[in-house]
Amino acid sequence: MRKNSIKNTRVNGEVQKELSVIIRDEIKDPRISPWASVVDVQVAPDLKTCKVWISVLGSEEDRVNTGKGLKSAAPYIRRELAHRLNLRNTPEITFVMDQSIEYGVNMSHIIDDVIAKDEAAHVDDSEDTTED
């Protein structure tokens, strides 16, 4: 199976969907944030390993605790994945924290602030020219 084959893409999508459901509904660990989401999944072509990118909206402490909770729940998650998907091998799961969503939200706030300051400066300039 080539890395970008249709089969690999389908396996990645199915694993991502099932992992999302397992993490959201099945795991009861209080360390795992309710704002955790599975952003991306890459299953190796031989189905032995799987990298899962997790995004957590919240503080750094929430991110660290969620990582610890997922790491300790990895055997359970793998077993549940084996029950739900009919794969030749059930991959070993490695969780990677992804901060791209939070980075995007922060950039959006920065852009909004710059636009607001620019509009305020533009209003101030137009008031100065009308007073003369």
Side-chain angles (χ1 to χ4, degrees):
M1 185 164 51
R2 292 185 326 267
K3 186 170 182 166
N4 292 328
S5 70
I6 293 172
K7 183 178 178 183
N8 196 308
T9 303
R10 284 184 182 169
V11 168
N12 289 342
E14 285 299 313
V15 170
Q16 181 175 357
K17 185 173 77 170
E18 291 300 329
L19 283 176
S20 296
V21 171
I22 292 168
I23 291 171
R24 182 185 67 230
D25 297 338
E26 302 291 326
I27 298 179
K28 305 297 183 205
D29 192 335
R31 294 177 292 183
I32 298 174
S33 171
W35 296 102
S37 60
V38 179
V39 177
D40 192 22
V41 172
Q42 284 187 351
V43 179
D46 62 356
L47 302 176
K48 299 280 186 190
T49 60
C50 173
K51 258 189 183 176
V52 180
W53 280 267
I54 301 290
S55 178
V56 179
L57 197 59
S59 68
E60 183 65 30
E61 182 181 352
D62 291 340
R63 209 172 291 116
V64 169
N65 288 338
T66 298
K68 289 178 183 176
L70 288 173
K71 187 174 182 179
S72 69
Y76 171 78
I77 294 170
R78 184 176 185 215
R79 187 171 52 250
E80 282 297 312
L81 197 61
H83 289 300
R84 294 170 185 232
L85 297 177
N86 185 16
L87 296 174
R88 187 172 6 112
N89 297 319
T90 304
E92 282 289 328
I93 300 170
T94 304
F95 293 101
V96 179
M97 287 297 155
D98 182 33
Q99 297 176 353
S100 62
I101 293 175
E102 186 173 347
Y103 179 78
V105 169
N106 288 338
M107 279 292 147
S108 178
H109 287 300
I110 291 171
I111 291 170
D112 290 343
D113 290 344
V114 168
I115 290 172
K117 288 178 184 176
D118 187 46
E119 287 175 353
H122 182 68
V123 169
D124 289 344
D125 290 343
S126 65
E127 287 177 359
D128 289 343
T129 58
T130 57
E131 289 177 4
D132 291 338

